[in-house]
Amino acid sequence: MPLPVIRAIAVAAGILFANALAHAASGSHLEPPAQLTCEHQPSTLAVHSSTPLLGWMLSPSDASLRGVRQSAYRIVVSSSESLAAENKGDLWDSGRVQSDRTRNIPYAGKSLEPEQQVYWRAAVWDEGGHASGWSAVATFTMAPDHWQAKWIAAAPDGSPEGKAEGVTRPMPVFRHVFQIHRPVARALLYVSGMGQDEAHINGNKVGHDELTPGWTEYRKRILYDTYDVTSMLHDGTNAIGILLGNGMFNVARTAGRYTKLVGTFGQPQCIAELHVVFADGSRTVIATGPEWQTASGPVTYSSTYGGEDYDARKTPRNWDTVGPVDDSAWHPAEVVPGPGGRLEPETAAPLRVEHVYQRVSRRTLASGDEVIDLGQNFAGWPEITVQGKAGAEVRLTAGELLASDGSVSQASANAHPDRAQWYSYTLSGKGVERWHPRFSYYGFRYVQVHITGEAKLISLIGDAVHSSAEPTGAFHSSIPLLDQIHTLILRAIENNMASVLTDCPHREKLGWLEQSHLMGSALNYDFDLERFYNKIENDMADEQQANGRVPTIAPEYTVFSGNPDNPFNDSPEWGSAAALDPWIAYRRYGDLDALRAHYPMMRGYVDYLTSRSKDGIVDFGLGDWYDIGPKPPGVAQLTSRALTATAVYYQDILAVEQAAEVLHDTAEKATIATLRDAVAAAFQKRFYHADQHDYDRDSQTANAMPLVLGLVPPQDRAAVLQHLIDDIRARGSHVTAGDVGFHYVVDALMENGASDVLLDMLLRTDAPSYGYQLHQGATALTEAWDASPHSSQDHLMLGHAEEWFYAGAGGIHVDFSQPEQDQIEVQPALLPRIGSGNVQYQSVKGLIRVAWNRRPNATVLDVTIPPNATARILFPPGPLSTILENGKPAAHAAGVISAAMSGGLPEVRVGSGQYHFSIPRAEGTIQ
């Protein structure tokens, strides 16, 4: 074993042993800090901020403890691992800071140098002043401050080969050989390939990320990825290779292949730097430039939409490794200006293969083609293992559904035989060959395999590729249908978490923005999307115009019908993500710096809608898209577009007002409050029928939106809610609201004590309903409520029930815009038909868990609150005195801060810990 590895193991063992001794001696109620993060990432390799934010998670030293809190912390930041292990902060020692803060703590030490590797650790003190012991040592690395590398391409810009508009050519590969003759301490590779890249060193792919880098407005912002490649280098001659795909950077139309849009930022190109630090402290940089070589690679067709063709016979010999090459195939790379955007490190969780689906059935068609069912509709690609003669071709046609003859259909993705998507692999003939596409993915369940020539398909699996964001939620109940609906929605969410939040993983792959705020609460229960939302917000900021307008998609890769006023280009219910997303993220994660960074965008968008309003009313856009009316789904039918547009305008105003409050922008707060009142009055005047207690056309959407946004006069709320419920009941507990409105229907019922009505809707199995989609065989949420085979079978836009699973059934609410004592609230619905349930959410403070079990005489409710937190627990109506905790009156239980009636409900405020409540069931109640 190498000496450095032995030393590292010894240091780590010493740290663990010292921590164990210190912790045992201190008697602290807290374990040492764990899961240390810098800029909300573990082991960050390219920190862009000069004052990066540090944080950690807390755990109690004993699960039975209650009221455990952090009272103070100490951070040491060091220039070496050994100094950090000795708690010597030569870069920064915060000293003991009396604070319960565990995240978003800005580094406040010496100036950090570009590319500097930094080591740090933390210790905390519990509520009794006992030290926890030190965390393990964490590390982060500062990003480079400038690039020596040049953008390189296969041809000069402006040449016929370099223009590339509307042309698909074989994708280039790039190669460079370099020497290493000293021991390497560390090597980092920084790379960005337009539109997608795959880097190799010495014959092996670098990292596990896919479809890198993220999609952006390339003229303004370009993301690069950073990899630690220390172990991939060796003494002597080394080789680096980069393979490119077109991605969204260069989208061309090709006869016979499906293409949603056509557009180019230029020809495929890349930039990369390999920074090597030697054991003696010296450094070298290997950077892209004219000394690099390029050749045509094996990817002969590359399209985000149309698929990918790969001819293994055309793989240049030793393109990514040391060895002889065919000199006639290679020529010097051309230095080009680049796309124009500034280079920034990628911070969102990378796309990776997150699931692998195996074949569940296989059948042969009359044509001889095989159709393979992978059992799940997902986003990704098929991966094949084949063997045969050189030149044999395997064509893979993927789709969500089957045609009547059993062949794969792409009708749900708007493709057809003359405009289809497929992958093809041409064999090299060299033994067993394994292949999957690299730069094109698709949404599918079935794969049709057509083989030309002599080849045998040995195996085919499905690689599900989506964001590797950490899962944070779990939902289980005693009603199988609810669990199935949760899974149905969850799969659609996963399948559409790409570089942007796509609407579908096949037909469009565009970042339609309404989903990010309408589904925002649900999405952020299921996954830690703090960094993903920052990416979405940056995309919107890059597309925001001088007048504040934000388009319906970001990045705005296409303008529909060539007309900016087309509602598909500009709709308030979509663009309002610019005002609402930063506030959604702040409420869930509490990063004030992120809110501050996007606050100008929020204000700008409200200004834009104000400029488009008339007498306080905004009347343009798509309205309640895909609601259920007499016509086929599309533009709103049951609700005036002015109602949804003005309501979301009002919601934007509220978000800006609340942001102004927490950012102490008193001038804006006063101005926006005046606007808020004016718009509220205009909304009431235009849409409210006071004599009937309903809004607009008395649709579900029209009544739900003002209920949720607080626009209904207090004395009329019950009557408006009843209108909403009556409409649902009159339709057999079915929904009519669409993409926009259903979010507010869910919230209106959940927030006003009508979760039983929503449960009735969720338990329907006839159209339109989630249950009907399941009965039609859907394995991911479909675009249309009726699961029409002519619509996408993988959309997340109607998945708003997911929020109810966590915030309604589970009753878990987190809001960091509130005072500390009100940031966590637990109020489970405890409906009679759900005999038991278990809902968990891994918040930024730790695990919140709510589980219940209905017994003959009582409902047992178990609640877990993480360390360093308090929570309000609200119980169903009834006497507070009858609620027990571990067999004793809850008001006197350990860990309980207070107990009182609140708004007619028993309320118990608790500190951290695990609580076991018993709520007596009275005949005729819903406990």
Side-chain angles (χ1 to χ4, degrees), residues 703-704 707-708 721 724 743-754:
N703 289 322
L707 275 168
V708 172
L721 175 66
L724 172 61
H743 163 75
Y744 298 94
V745 171
V746 169
D747 280 4
L749 297 174
M750 178 173 65
E751 294 169 2
N752 291 280

Side-chain angles (χ1 to χ4, degrees), residues 650 653-654 656-658 660 666-680:
Y650 180 77
I653 292 169
L654 293 179
V656 171
E657 182 181 19
Q658 292 165 315
T666 54
E668 177 67 16
K669 187 175 185 299
T671 300
I672 204 78
T674 301
L675 179 63
R676 176 202 65 206
D677 292 343
V679 172

Side-chain angles (χ1 to χ4, degrees), residues 250-303:
N250 179 42
V251 183
R253 190 177 303 284
T254 301
R257 306 295 276 258
Y258 174 76
T259 304
K260 171 67 180 179
L261 58 92
V262 175
T264 183
F265 291 83
Q267 66 174 315
Q269 52 201 273
C270 66
I271 190 169
E273 290 189 357
L274 175 61
H275 291 218
V276 182
V277 180
F278 297 104
D280 61 8
S282 61
R283 298 169 176 260
T284 190
V285 176
I286 293 95
T288 49
E291 66 276 11
W292 283 53
Q293 297 288 301
T294 185
S296 293
V299 178
T300 58
Y301 173 81
S302 171
S303 171

Side-chain angles (χ1 to χ4, degrees), residues 9 64 68 151 164 178 216 350 433 461 599 624 630 637 680 694 782 902:
I9 293 174
S64 66
V68 176
W151 284 96
F178 57 96
T216 57
E433 304 177 46
I461 59 176
Y599 180 57
D624 190 18
Q637 302 179 55
D694 65 32
T782 65
S902 175

Side-chain angles (χ1 to χ4, degrees), residues 197-393:
D197 64 59
E198 184 174 290
H200 288 219
I201 290 179
N202 293 327
N204 294 302
K205 178 185 172 180
V206 174
H208 303 288
D209 304 348
E210 306 289 355
L211 297 169
T212 56
W215 300 342
T216 57
E217 212 307 343
Y218 301 111
R219 299 182 191 93
K220 294 184 178 180
R221 192 189 309 259
I222 297 169
L223 302 178
Y224 67 86
D225 296 282
T226 307
Y227 304 95
D228 188 329
V229 296
T230 309
S231 63
M232 301 183 76
L233 302 181
H234 55 243
D235 188 60
T237 305
N238 293 259
I240 182 171
I242 298 174
L243 176 66
L244 295 183
N246 278 317
M248 283 293 194
F249 190 76
N250 179 42
V251 183
R253 190 177 303 284
T254 301
R257 306 295 276 258
Y258 174 76
T259 304
K260 171 67 180 179
L261 58 92
V262 175
T264 183
F265 291 83
Q267 66 174 315
Q269 52 201 273
C270 66
I271 190 169
E273 290 189 357
L274 175 61
H275 291 218
V276 182
V277 180
F278 297 104
D280 61 8
S282 61
R283 298 169 176 260
T284 190
V285 176
I286 293 95
T288 49
E291 66 276 11
W292 283 53
Q293 297 288 301
T294 185
S296 293
V299 178
T300 58
Y301 173 81
S302 171
S303 171
T304 294
Y305 294 105
E308 186 169 310
D309 298 340
Y310 190 101
D311 190 337
R313 299 171 303 175
K314 296 182 178 181
T315 305
R317 185 170 57 146
N318 294 324
W319 76 274
D320 62 350
T321 190
V322 175
V325 298
D326 179 1
D327 291 332
S328 65
W330 294 87
H331 63 271
E334 295 286 344
V335 173
V336 294
R342 63 187 178 276
L343 282 162
E344 292 184 0
E346 186 133 35
T347 57
L351 275 63
R352 289 180 175 160
V353 175
E354 291 292 300
H355 310 284
V356 175
Y357 293 107
Q358 304 291 333
R359 182 189 75 205
V360 298
S361 71
R362 181 175 185 170
R363 61 172 296 190
T364 302
L365 303 178
S367 64
D369 288 0
E370 286 189 305
V371 173
I372 293 173
D373 179 3
L374 294 166
Q376 172 65 49
N377 195 7
F378 65 97
W381 48 58
E383 181 173 330
I384 58 173
T385 304
V386 295
Q387 188 170 17
K389 289 188 176 181
E393 180 187 344

Side-chain angles (χ1 to χ4, degrees), residues 896-910:
V896 171
I897 299 169
S898 65
M901 298 298 293
S902 175
L905 300 177
E907 176 190 280
V908 176
R909 290 181 178 267
V910 301

Side-chain angles (χ1 to χ4, degrees), residues 702-787:
N703 289 322
M705 291 189 79
L707 275 168
V708 172
L709 299 177
L711 285 162
V712 182
Q715 68 275 13
D716 294 346
R717 287 187 62 84
V720 174
L721 175 66
Q722 195 60 50
H723 265 272
L724 172 61
I725 294 173
D726 289 347
D727 185 88
I728 294 170
R729 295 299 192 201
R731 299 175 188 276
S733 296
H734 283 121
V735 63
T736 61
D739 177 18
V740 175
F742 189 50
H743 163 75
Y744 298 94
V745 171
V746 169
D747 280 4
L749 297 174
M750 178 173 65
E751 294 169 2
N752 291 280
S755 281
D756 58 320
V757 178
L758 183 57
L759 181 61
D760 287 341
M761 299 172 76
L762 297 182
L763 295 180
R764 299 299 308 195
T765 56
D766 54 340
S769 68
Y770 294 121
Y772 183 76
Q773 295 184 28
L774 289 164
H775 278 257
Q776 293 301 108
T779 57
L781 186 65
T782 65
E783 180 179 16
W785 277 114
D786 63 358

